[in-house]
Amino acid sequence: MLTTMTSEPEQQIGVGTQDAFQRLWTPHRMAYIQGENKPTGPGADDGCPFCSIPAKSDEDGLVIARGEQVYAVLNLYPYNGGHLMVVPYRHVADYTDLTGPETAELGELTKQAMTALRTASGAHGFNIGMNQGAVAGAGIAAHLHQHVVPRWGGDTNFMPVVGHTKVLPQLLADTRKMLADVWPAS
């Protein structure tokens, strides 16, 4: 384990060929890689996490805000600190299947998310979008969710490019509280 920050490589102990690389272990990513919390099928009763989250407390479910039709929740496997999703309560897969009120509230909570992220973390910009269907990259294709990913100038550094690793400086529970505390009133 790296105990001090130096420019000198630390000796690798254990199995493997010694090299000059330091390791940043991200064991929490293994849950995502192995499919933890993924539904077993397309139905709401097939273990859909987006259907079970609303029954939890805000803290346990990492819910930031709740509307009548949709809610905002932190992503368990974030691309950046503050990465959240706006999700309809109703188990629906396609954007075209949303009702008018669901569509309107999804848009409103997205605007509120942007405001909260700018206030809490000074986000310079955002990636906002949906992956519709497994072939389009949706990790949970059966339950629609819109990603709101805050971005900052220079936030893409060597770690994700070379190491395929994101360094997140804050625990999800702390991020949830920070955003919930500044979430705009509707």
Side-chain angles (χ1 to χ4, degrees):
M1 175 184 260
L2 184 63
T3 55
T4 60
M5 295 301 291
T6 68
S7 58
E8 297 297 317
E10 185 172 306
Q11 181 178 356
Q12 178 178 333
I13 299 171
V15 180
T17 304
Q18 185 173 338
D19 56 34
F21 289 100
Q22 295 182 12
R23 305 302 193 266
L24 178 61
W25 301 104
T26 57
H28 68 281
R29 297 286 304 162
M30 189 54 69
Y32 178 77
I33 292 166
Q34 293 177 335
E36 188 175 302
N37 297 321
K38 291 263 183 143
T40 58
D45 295 330
D46 291 330
C48 177
F50 296 134
C51 288
S52 64
I53 288 170
K56 298 177 181 180
S57 71
D58 288 354
E59 291 77 13
D60 289 342
L62 297 174
V63 174
I64 300 165
R66 296 175 189 260
E68 291 181 22
Q69 308 289 324
V70 303
Y71 64 96
V73 61
L74 286 178
N75 191 319
L76 275 179
Y77 310 104
Y79 297 135
N80 269 349
H83 176 179
L84 60 86
M85 296 171 293
V86 182
V87 184
Y89 292 110
R90 190 165 63 95
H91 188 84
V92 58
D94 198 87
Y95 185 71
T96 61
D97 294 332
L98 291 178
T99 66
E102 287 170 329
T103 303
E105 194 171 68
L106 185 125
E108 186 57 37
L109 257 70
T110 299
K111 287 170 48 177
Q112 291 174 5
M114 292 172 66
T115 299
L117 285 161
R118 282 188 181 120
T119 301
S121 65
H124 299 147
F126 299 91
N127 293 117
I128 296 173
M130 300 176 202
N131 299 323
Q132 293 283 270
V135 298
I140 300 175
H143 197 135
L144 177 122
H145 52 285
Q146 178 165 270
H147 294 265
V148 180
V149 182
R151 302 300 303 268
W152 298 268
D155 70 4
T156 301
N157 62 25
F158 73 95
M159 289 301 293
V161 174
V162 175
H164 302 286
T165 301
K166 272 287 189 179
V167 178
L168 301 170
Q170 190 173 50
L171 296 173
L172 288 175
D174 296 338
T175 303
R176 191 216 67 80
K177 181 172 180 356
M178 177 182 72
L179 290 173
D181 287 349
V182 299
W183 195 269
S186 34

